[in-house]
């Protein structure tokens, strides 16, 4: 199992959970899949917009990263997912509205969720009229433009162009780490960030060349004329 490396520094997007989740709901949940799916529902619906927020079971079955956390094989993961949804509905943390034999909507049992269900049942809105973004559970990395604005300064057209060029030259992870290093050193200037990136690139190239030279040296030493090269 790969260990968790820790939450990243700086500003990151948070998923709000009501206090009652910890004081009332969490002590009742005795199934790990139900807990994961319930937390996922909070995360998923928080990333949607508009007054009426809901999801279908298919939204969850299409998220491979979620399924990987429910079981080692997809078939068992789908079974665990369906069982978790049913448990959450029976427990009352999720509300389910059946629209047909194969179509159901799920809502969080919050004031907003209950209001959405009541409005749906009264014919005040239809799920077909709601445009929803595609949300998947992926490893979230901050956009470097946002990271720059939050930690360095305003994003001007010139800086935006510079950041775009930097993305072509350096891995995104390097840029993120360099910006955080600049913040930790309290030097909030792009020139400082760029100096960190150049130094890392030069060091990386130097290590790569040194490794190549050592490999070539070993090839000659261990080859047919190795004894002559050594001496």
């Amino acid at each position: 199992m790969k260990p968790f490396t820790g939450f990243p520094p700086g500003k990151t997007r948070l998923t709000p959970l009501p206090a009652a989740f910890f004081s009332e709901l969490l002590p009742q949940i005795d199934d790990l899949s139900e807990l994961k799916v319930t937390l996922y529902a909070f995360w998923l619906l928080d990333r949607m917009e508009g007054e009426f927020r809901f999801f279908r079971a298919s939204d969850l079955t299409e998220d491979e990263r979620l399924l990987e956390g429910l079981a080692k094989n997809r078939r068992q993961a789908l079974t665990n997912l369906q069982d978790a949804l049913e448990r959450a509905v029976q427990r009352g943390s999720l509300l389910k509205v059946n629209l047909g034999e194969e179509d159901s909507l799920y809502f969080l049992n919050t004031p907003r969720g209950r209001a959405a269900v009541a409005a749906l049942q009264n014919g005040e809105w239809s799920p077909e009229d709601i445009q929803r973004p595609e949300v998947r559970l992926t490893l979230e990395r901050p956009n470097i433009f946002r990271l720059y604005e939050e930690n360095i300064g305003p994003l001007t057209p010139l800086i935006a162009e510079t950041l775009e060029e930097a993305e072509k030259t350096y891995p995104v992870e390097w840029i993120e780490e360099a910006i955080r290093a600049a913040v930790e050193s309290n030097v909030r200037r792009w020139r400082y960030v760029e100096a960190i990136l150049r130094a890392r690139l030069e060091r990386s190239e130097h290590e790569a060349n040194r490794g190549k030279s050592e490999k070539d040296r070993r090839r000659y030493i261990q080859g047919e004329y190795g004894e002559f090269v050594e001496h």
Side-chain angles (χ1 to χ4, degrees), residues 17-18 20-22 24-26 28-31 33-42 45 53 55 83-96 105-114 117:
L17 290 172
F21 174 87
F22 298 97
E24 299 180 33
L25 182 59
L26 185 59
Q28 298 181 30
I29 298 178
D30 54 3
D31 180 79
S33 293
E34 180 189 350
L35 176 60
K36 289 184 176 183
V37 169
T38 302
L39 288 171
Y40 183 92
F42 276 98
L45 296 180
R53 304 186 185 190
F55 65 87
D83 179 65
L85 286 172
E86 292 176 1
R87 285 173 175 269
V89 171
Q90 293 175 4
R91 198 174 304 283
S93 53
L94 292 180
L95 303 175
K96 181 179 180 181
L105 306 184
Y106 294 88
F107 304 78
L108 283 173
N109 191 0
T110 62
R112 171 185 281 182
R114 293 190 292 272
V117 169

Side-chain angles (χ1 to χ4, degrees), residues 109-188:
N109 191 0
T110 62
R112 171 185 281 182
R114 293 190 292 272
V117 169
L120 175 63
Q121 293 173 336
N122 291 334
E124 299 176 18
W125 67 281
S126 170
E128 284 71 26
D129 299 332
I130 305 296
Q131 293 184 351
R132 300 181 305 144
E134 183 179 281
V135 182
R136 293 289 181 270
L137 193 62
T138 57
L139 292 175
E140 295 190 10
R141 297 190 179 279
N143 179 280
I144 63 169
F145 292 165
R146 177 167 59 84
L147 195 64
Y148 181 92
E149 288 182 308
E150 293 175 348
N151 295 282
I152 305 298
L155 186 67
T156 65
L158 181 60
I159 288 295
E161 184 177 342
T162 301
L163 291 175
E164 289 176 353
E165 289 299 319
E167 277 192 301
K168 298 175 183 178
T169 307
Y170 309 102
V172 175
E173 294 84 357
W174 288 19
I175 301 175
E176 295 170 2
E177 292 171 6
I179 291 178
R180 294 192 178 104
V183 172
E184 292 173 359
S185 300
N186 199 29
V187 185
R188 299 171 185 266

Side-chain angles (χ1 to χ4, degrees), residues 210-226:
R210 184 176 62 183
K212 183 175 182 297
S213 299
E214 181 63 24
K215 181 179 179 181
D216 290 341
R217 178 176 177 274
R218 287 198 304 270
R219 180 162 59 88
Y220 284 114
I221 291 175
Q222 297 170 2
E224 182 179 357
Y225 303 104

